[in-house]
Amino acid sequence: MPELIPEPRYARFARDAGECVLDDPLLHVGPGAEATARWLRRELGAATGWELPAPAAGEEGEAGEAYGGRTVIRLVLRPDLAHSVGAESYELHVAQREVLLEGAGPAGLFYAAQTLRQLLGPEAHRRAPTAPGRAWRLPVGGIQDAPRFGWRGMMLDVARHFMPKDGVLRYVDLLAAHKLNVLHLHLTDDQGWRVEIKRHPRLTEVGAWRPRSRWGHRASPLWNETPHGGFYTQDDIREIVAYAAERHVRVVPEIDVPGHSQAAIAAYPELGNTDVVDTGALEVWDDWGINENVLAPTEAVLRFYEGVFEELLELFPAEVSPFVHVGGDECPKGQWRASALAQERIRELGVDGEDGLQSWFIRHFDGWLAERGRRLIGWDEILEGGLAPGAAVSSWRGYAGGIAAAEAGHDVVMCPEQQVYLDHRQAGGGDEPMPIGYVRSLEDVYRFEPVPPKLSPQAASHVLGAQANVWTEVMENQGRVDYQVFPRLAAFAEVVWSRLPEPGERDYAGFEARMGGHYRRLDALGVDYRPPGGPLPWQRRPGVLGRPIEGEPPNV
């Protein structure tokens, strides 16, 4: 059986069924399949040297001699597949003279092409042929496949450590290769503002740069004194969104309100609580943790962020980015309690204290976004003070927020930190670089279950899916991100795509065996993953403090 990840719903490849030899095959492109054809010609063409020409006129009949003896790859949209297993479903059939890829929709056809690339072997993931002129072989057989969840995502924090545009595009490709379909970009935080807003240029002129960075966890005494920063121009964002859409990845932008906002306040001091703190003296934060400097609860602040979101919505079109994330997490209330202006605002609005003030922020933008055809999503703190009627919840502090939201009829994305925060360390011992949190091994992630058993069936239908979150305080470059994300993202991809048994009954040994071939794919893709035997010497960070937590994580 081929070493496919994620594991398909149904696959059959008999040992005695023969093989299909692909030697400069033709590519038959059915109506609506043009985008997948472009991807195949670009990606498989680079790795194999194939030109993948279309059959000549008059050669559109049955495979075999009708194509001059050449094998053919056929791309076909079959909307009827969606009736039973969903629009992202596909079938792949390999005969001795033909490879047939069928998708219920364009996304399904694209996933069939990703599976074809896996079947061809690790060398099919390279950017140039390693053995020009070789014949590529496929086992004869078939696959029927469809995802379990519609939201299969990864959150990438580019605010703490900026990832240049090319790195983001690379991660779009890595998500697509694992049949993941959501990239949640954490674009703003205390430590940096990463998206150009033309009407507020100081957000990037000032807010995108910090003078230095803590080296390691916030308890570490070490500092990296090199200034750090960067941002995406609006054309960069348009490019990322279009590139992702071609690969059926939705990009969810996150602009944090009302907490995690010191970078914005450093750029525009009037956004902060000026009656209790000298906001003009604030710089972009150089440390990690929860910051006390939050937005002031004023109409002027609402208008400012409405302007931000107006430009953001133009960059992230509704058809590819229906959700907008507003953060809403870790908002300390100390400044609001001390602020006469904030207290007067509480009385004017008639809300329930400082929690009600936070809820007022979120509800305002929920309505504002809904009027413009978008859906608000936020971290589970948006439950505090009352959940905005149309809001969806990213449940990060455990399952509890997601359970409460789903039982109340709100859509939920499960991303509990105890299970799928990929900044958490992968093993015990002193070799793990800057060890954070609980040990979350490859097997632990493989046994993650997005739908808690205590959910009622009706509430379970509100679980859109899950995402793995990648916070980058201690990931200073692409190699460190790769190390923390892989190979665990492969396990996560199987959890959200495949229909697996209950966590304790999953065949981890079988998954681990299939990972043998997948490591070679990651090698071909240039991924600096954590090897099964532990970090390589250059992946370690000896002497840099983390924050390891011992024992099993609570199931909360």
Side-chain angles (χ1 to χ4, degrees):
M1 187 66 65
E3 297 174 320
L4 297 175
I5 288 178
E7 185 176 38
R9 184 173 295 197
Y10 169 84
R12 182 171 183 176
F13 294 91
R15 291 179 181 273
D16 57 354
E19 60 184 9
C20 174
V21 179
L22 292 166
D23 182 7
D24 195 22
L26 302 169
L27 182 64
H28 175 278
V29 183
E34 294 82 6
T36 296
R38 286 195 300 271
W39 184 87
L40 278 173
R41 287 187 171 115
R42 183 173 58 247
E43 300 297 331
L44 280 191
T48 62
W50 296 340
E51 294 184 2
L52 292 172
E59 292 186 336
E60 298 291 332
E62 296 297 322
E65 293 305 319
Y67 293 103
R70 295 171 70 177
T71 53
V72 63
I73 300 171
R74 297 171 63 89
L75 306 179
V76 178
L77 288 183
R78 265 190 60 197
D80 60 295
L81 287 177
H83 297 331
S84 58
V85 286
E88 293 181 293
S89 61
Y90 72 88
E91 293 187 4
L92 187 153
H93 303 281
V94 182
Q96 291 187 346
R97 309 292 304 186
E98 177 183 86
V99 181
L100 173 62
L101 280 60
E102 298 178 304
L109 190 62
F110 177 73
Y111 296 136
Q114 290 284 4
T115 299
L116 171 63
R117 184 166 69 156
Q118 286 201 14
L119 287 170
L120 286 167
E123 297 303 307
H125 294 73
R126 296 192 178 275
R127 296 184 181 181
T130 57
R134 66 172 280 189
W136 297 76
R137 301 174 186 276
L138 292 173
V140 169
I143 292 172
Q144 296 173 333
D145 203 6
R148 180 185 177 193
F149 292 106
W151 186 300
R152 308 180 303 279
M154 188 186 88
M155 192 282 310
L156 180 61
D157 169 19
V158 296
R160 271 50 176 269
H161 278 102
F162 178 65
M163 179 176 285
K165 179 195 69 178
D166 286 352
V168 176
L169 299 178
R170 173 178 176 267
Y171 259 86
V172 169
D173 279 324
L174 290 172
L175 295 184
H178 291 81
K179 299 185 174 70
L180 298 173
N181 68 348
V182 175
L183 174 62
H184 169 178
L185 278 181
H186 184 77
L187 290 166
T188 72
D189 216 295
D190 301 301
Q191 298 86 359
W193 184 285
R194 305 296 180 214
V195 57
E196 178 188 27
I197 302 298
K198 291 185 181 295
R199 72 188 71 184
H200 303 305
R202 285 176 60 83
L203 286 172
T204 47
E205 291 172 358
V206 174
W209 311 94
R210 62 175 181 263
R212 64 176 188 169
S213 305
R214 177 82 69 175
W215 181 235
H217 182 256
R218 58 182 176 269
S220 169
L222 305 176
W223 292 87
N224 181 342
E225 297 291 345
T226 303
H228 179 83
F231 65 93
Y232 309 110
T233 68
Q234 293 201 350
D235 280 344
D236 289 339
I237 293 293
R238 292 186 182 98
E239 180 182 356
I240 289 168
V241 170
Y243 190 90
E246 283 187 349
R247 290 149 181 81
H248 304 279
V249 174
R250 288 176 285 151
V251 184
V252 176
E254 180 181 353
I255 302 292
D256 250 310
V257 297
H260 286 293
S261 296
Q262 182 160 321
I265 297 169
Y268 292 94
E270 64 271 22
L271 297 175
N273 294 283
T274 56
D275 60 337
V276 295
V277 66
D278 180 9
T279 56
L282 294 177
E283 294 183 325
V284 177
W285 206 27
D286 58 8
D287 211 346
W288 318 129
I290 299 175
N291 190 296
E292 293 292 325
N293 293 298
V294 303
L295 298 175
T298 67
E299 290 295 325
V301 168
L302 293 185
R303 301 293 88 75
F304 182 97
Y305 274 85
E306 286 173 358
V308 169
F309 283 117
E310 281 178 5
E311 293 194 26
L312 202 75
L313 296 191
E314 191 273 325
L315 300 175
F316 294 87
E319 58 270 21
V320 293
S321 297
F323 284 89
V324 174
H325 208 292
V326 299
D329 63 315
E330 296 179 332
C331 179
K333 309 300 193 297
Q335 290 186 0
W336 289 349
R337 283 191 288 270
S339 167
L341 291 175
Q343 292 303 308
E344 178 60 25
R345 193 67 166 152
I346 289 172
R347 289 188 291 273
E348 288 175 1
L349 295 170
V351 297
D352 185 15
E354 290 76 25
D355 283 350
L357 206 54
Q358 178 170 342
S359 179
W360 167 77
F361 260 102
I362 302 303
R363 286 174 179 270
H364 174 83
F365 286 106
D366 178 66
W368 190 92
L369 289 167
E371 289 173 0
R372 290 155 180 81
R374 306 302 179 95
R375 291 193 62 191
L376 178 145
I377 185 168
W379 303 111
D380 56 56
E381 284 95 332
I382 67 174
L383 291 163
E384 297 167 6
L387 186 61
V393 170
S394 300
S395 188
W396 77 273
R397 291 181 293 182
Y399 290 104
I403 291 171
E407 293 288 2
H410 294 272
D411 288 339
V412 174
V413 176
M414 288 295 187
C415 47
E417 64 168 329
Q418 302 87 351
Q419 312 298 328
V420 288
Y421 267 33
L422 299 186
D423 48 314
H424 283 208
R425 58 196 172 130
Q426 303 186 63
D431 285 341
E432 290 302 308
M434 303 186 195
I436 302 295
Y438 296 101
V439 171
R440 292 289 85 193
S441 67
L442 183 66
E443 181 173 359
D444 291 328
V445 174
Y446 189 68
R447 298 193 188 280
F448 165 60
E449 173 49 49
V451 181
K454 64 178 67 174
L455 272 184
S456 67
Q458 183 176 3
S461 69
H462 286 287
V463 178
L464 301 176
Q467 69 182 32
N469 290 343
V470 183
W471 300 103
T472 62
E473 288 94 334
V474 297
M475 300 179 213
E476 73 278 9
N477 55 39
Q478 178 177 284
R480 281 287 293 122
V481 174
D482 280 3
Y483 178 91
Q484 292 297 133
V485 170
F486 290 100
R488 292 183 294 181
L489 194 70
F492 175 81
E494 187 150 312
V495 166
V496 292
W497 177 278
S498 306
R499 293 192 176 272
L500 300 177
E502 293 300 312
E505 300 172 4
R506 292 177 186 171
D507 180 14
Y508 177 70
F511 171 78
E512 195 173 31
R514 284 183 284 119
M515 279 299 298
H518 201 64
Y519 285 120
R520 294 191 292 276
R521 294 185 196 113
L522 296 178
D523 287 331
L525 289 166
V527 177
D528 197 12
Y529 59 86
R530 180 189 189 275
L536 298 168
W538 59 86
Q539 294 173 322
R540 299 169 186 159
R541 297 291 186 274
V544 184
L545 288 179
R547 185 179 64 93
I549 305 174
E550 302 303 331
E552 285 294 310
N555 190 10
V556 294

